[in-house]
Structures are given as C-alpha cells and as structure tokens.
Amino acid sequence: MRQRPVTTPSSQALAGDDECGTAWAPPVRRHPVCLMNGYRADDAHLPCRPINGCE
Amino acid sequence: MTTAASASTAEAITSNIGHPLPPNVRLLPGRDCWWVIRDTTIARLPREAVTSASAQSVILPEAYDALRQQGFFTVRPADVYAVTVLTATACNLGCAYCYQNTSLPQEGSFAPPRIDKAVLTSSRVGEVAAFIERQMARFDLKKSSLLLFGGEPLLNPSGALQMLQAMRPLGLADAEMITNAVLLTPKLATRLAEAGLRRAQITFDGGKDDHDSIRVTRNGRGTYDTILRNVIEGSAQTDLHWHFRVNISHRNMGDLERLIDDLGDAVPQGRSSLHLALIDDTGLGYDNTVDYSSDYVELFTQLVTRAVRHGMFVPISKPISSCPYCGVFGGDRGAVINADGKLYSCWETVGREDWIIGDVENGYLPEEHVRPRWVACDYDIKSHGTKEQAQRFFDQIDAVALDEMYACHNQVLTMR
C-alpha cells in the first residue's frame, strides 16, 4: 500500500495541465459559437441549438 | 480590439495560422463538424475548416480569423472570488475510497477512520466572511461564489445556512453544496434554496445494488432510495439544480444505465447535469481496475448519450490548472477553508496538519511555507493510465457529449 506523503516533491506541486473531471467546477452551460454557416456566427442555426438548457 | 492584451492575443494567433494549435486549445472531431475548445469556451466549425494533411490537424486561416473575431481566444480576467468552505469534517457515510479517510476500513467495518473533526461555528462564520471580504478587496473582485463542502456539510445545517447568509453582502453570484443528500430533506432543501443555494452536487456509486454496497452509512446501511427520494422531492419543492457525480470502478459496472434512467426521471429536463468519474486510489490502497482503454470509452459515451437524451447537461472536462482554488498560486482567485478556519490549496489536503497554508484570522503563511504545500487535487493518486491515454479518453467522451448536446439534431431527441 502506498503511503500518503508528508511533503510534496516540487515536481508534483500543481498537477499542471492534466484534463480532469468537472466536479470541482460549476457546470458551465454556455452556447457554443457556431460557425457552420460559412464561418459566420449564427445563433439561429438549427443544429447548434442546445437541447439541454444554456444559462 | 484596442487593448494591449487583445493585441498580443491577435499576434499570437496570426503566428499560429497554418500551424498546430496552441497547447491550451483542443480540437475534437465531431460527428459532422469540428469542436474547438478553450477552457469552457466552445466553437463548432464545419469539417472543411480543418485540414489534417500533416501529422497534426490545422485550422484554416479563414476559420481561425472567424474564431478570433468571435472573441474565442480572448481571455477574460477573472471577476469572481471562489471559496470552498467546509461546515463539518465528519461524515454520516463510510465510503471506503474517500480521500478524507486516513486508512481503509477494517474488515467488516463501515466506519473508516477520517481526518480530525471540526465544525463551523457561528463566530467562525463571521471570521471566514471577513477573510473573504479582505481577499476580494485585495484582488479587486466584486463577485463571489461559495461551495459548501464537508465531510457532510448537512451535519451542520445551521453553519451552511449562516455561511450562505454571510456571503450575500459579498456579491454572491453562485452557491453550490456538495452533499451526499441523505440529510437533504425537502424542508431543508427549501431553506437552503431560500438562503441562496443554487445547486447540489450529489454522488452515486452505481445502480441501486452496487450503490448500496459502497455508499453506506457508518453502520452499513444502503442509501440509494433515501438519496433518490430526497432529490425527487427537493426538485419538486425548489428550483435547485442538481449535479450528479457518478463514481465508477470495477465494483459498480453492473447497472449504470438504470442509474442514469433513475436520475433522468428524478429531475425535470434542463435542471440536472452529469459527471462520470473514475474512483482514484489516493494512497489508501482502494484499487480500481477501470482505465482509459477503448472499452471504457464506449461505456462512458453510452452513458453520456443516455444522460443527454434524458435532458441532462454533460459538462466537458477541464484542465485542473483552471481550478479557481489551486490554479493560481497563493489564493488570488479563491480559497479552500476548513471548518476550523485553516486554509489549504485544494480539497484533498483539507484537515491534514502537514498541508495547512494559513488561517482566516492571519491570512496565508509566508511563501516559502506555502509553496511546497501548494498542490492540486489528484496530486497523489494512482494513475489510470498515461497522460496521452487520459487525453484521448476525455477527448472522445467530450466529443460525443458535444455532438449529443448541440449538433446534428433537427428533431426532438427521445429515448430509444
């Protein structure tokens, strides 16, 4: 069994840029920028309409 | 685009045209598009906007410019001071894998030893609020967010309510509680919502049978029915949103689809979100054979798809470096505060003497003391795979989540 370290090696300080889960952060419900229409932003573009509620 | 910051951003982008993306931007192949992600900012591009002629995918200049014009690359300064406050470090449950345990439970026991007990008192609430006010003034932040945490925060409901009330004059923009929900009666949920709580984050450990063998009271009783009932009734009587965390290991793969169905049925569409998480061994020796392999990508994407079709929101993964608590050294954007007023850099070190970095009365200790104790959650977990495997794993799941939530659907989705 591994033991919890009492001090942290400097290489472990700040875990860095690993992708991780989202449970530490509020679930951000922001509409994506949709540039499917000739690279023009188009919020009304049907396929980009969110179905689960943007805040 | 007149500010110096904007100008430097534009310059950086220009130099990247035709080259691989900056490291903080992800490019994921969607079902009929490309998803471009920078932190929580997401854009959808047509297939022809990206070329994969070289080893790495490249966004064409016209599409890159369109993204820039939409402000996709503009980094906005943080305007919210985020605090996690523990109202009680004790817990009414005895989950064997909890990182707040100090060892695995003994054979036949459901009460693993935990970090030292502390309770947020009324006087401490005032001290915590005063510390937050000082920090917000120091960094010129006008808004705050509060995450009530434990242990089980509802072992001290008055502390939770008082903390919510104390934060109101401090520009409280968002308030969430991470609770196991066993004690979250509809009456208490109503009081918390009235005090400003917006969302409860609740963990499940699989379908009913698996959950009831893992997420147990400290005398071994299952909790699935109690939690689900409290969610259903709390949802009916309040406007709370619900963020469901589903912890996954090889011990609870049995009936996860049924769990998603139960959660989807419990809360009206648009008021819940889902996060699937692998259980980590944080040094206790609690094993988990689930890894970042393609089999589990398939399982996770099936569960995500099912959740979206129930009307749940599925947030995509984020780099831990974006965390407001640990992402910036020194607590410039937020703080993790134990019930006894001690400060820590992240949730996983709370309550451990060797990791204290200050307290609410005196502020942070000198930098030479804080720096070696400044870590992010997961600083000491047994890895589920390599960094590259992790990235592929999250990329594939996130692409499916985005496809399901935003793209390709001109008709109303229904469960199959």
Side-chain angles (χ1 to χ4, degrees), chain A:
Chain A
M1 184 175 113
R2 294 175 309 122
Q3 296 297 312
R4 187 176 292 278
V6 290
T7 58
T8 307
S10 57
S11 62
Q12 289 185 336
L14 266 182
D17 59 355
D18 290 339
E19 286 299 312
C20 76
T22 58
W24 53 268
V28 177
R29 303 185 187 208
R30 193 179 301 143
H31 198 301
V33 176
C34 185
L35 300 174
M36 296 288 278
N37 184 17
Y39 306 147
R40 291 191 301 276
D42 185 359
D43 287 342
H45 189 56
L46 258 183
C48 253
R49 183 172 292 167
I51 63 167
N52 294 52
C54 285
E55 287 180 343

Side-chain angles (χ1 to χ4, degrees), chain B residues 186-207:
Chain B
K187 185 177 177 182
L188 182 52
T190 301
R191 291 182 66 194
L192 289 163
E194 288 172 352
L197 190 73
R198 292 182 59 187
R199 185 172 49 259
Q201 182 186 141
I202 296 169
T203 299
F204 283 83
D205 276 304

Side-chain angles (χ1 to χ4, degrees), chain B residues 206-228:
Chain B
K208 177 175 163 53
D209 290 346
D210 289 330
H211 176 104
D212 281 346
S213 68
I214 299 170
R215 189 156 277 259
V216 293
T217 64
R218 293 180 78 81
N219 58 12
R221 291 187 179 174
T223 57
Y224 189 92
D225 290 339
T226 301
I227 295 170
L228 198 60

Side-chain angles (χ1 to χ4, degrees), chain B residues 10-88:
Chain B
E11 188 178 334
I13 292 162
T14 303
S15 68
N16 274 298
I17 290 176
H19 296 282
L21 290 165
N24 64 336
V25 176
R26 300 161 68 197
L27 185 61
L28 310 183
R31 198 178 291 147
D32 70 344
C33 64
W34 287 94
W35 297 105
V36 195
I37 302 165
R38 185 186 62 74
D39 198 21
T40 57
T41 304
I42 300 166
R44 184 173 179 234
L45 290 175
R47 283 228 168 117
E48 59 271 21
V50 173
T51 175
S52 301
S54 60
Q56 287 179 291
S57 299
V58 172
I59 296 180
L60 297 181
E62 301 82 18
Y64 223 124
D65 195 47
L67 285 170
R68 183 180 56 77
Q69 287 176 16
Q70 287 296 311
F72 182 84
F73 297 102
T74 304
V75 179
R76 308 197 188 291
D79 61 349
V80 175
Y81 186 72
V83 285
T84 287
V85 179
L86 284 77
T87 63

Side-chain angles (χ1 to χ4, degrees), chain B residues 287-340:
Chain B
D287 64 330
N288 182 5
T289 62
V290 178
D291 57 17
Y292 297 131
S293 64
S294 56
D295 286 349
Y296 296 117
V297 169
E298 188 174 345
L299 171 71
F300 274 51
T301 53
Q302 286 172 356
L303 295 173
V304 163
T305 300
R306 200 170 189 89
V308 172
R309 292 180 183 195
H310 272 296
M312 293 189 211
F313 179 77
V314 179
I316 60 169
S317 62
K318 290 177 66 178
I320 204 162
S321 51
S322 299
C323 176
Y325 308 115
C326 66
V328 178
F329 174 78
D332 294 15
R333 288 180 53 206
V336 176
I337 307 170
N338 196 6
D340 61 4

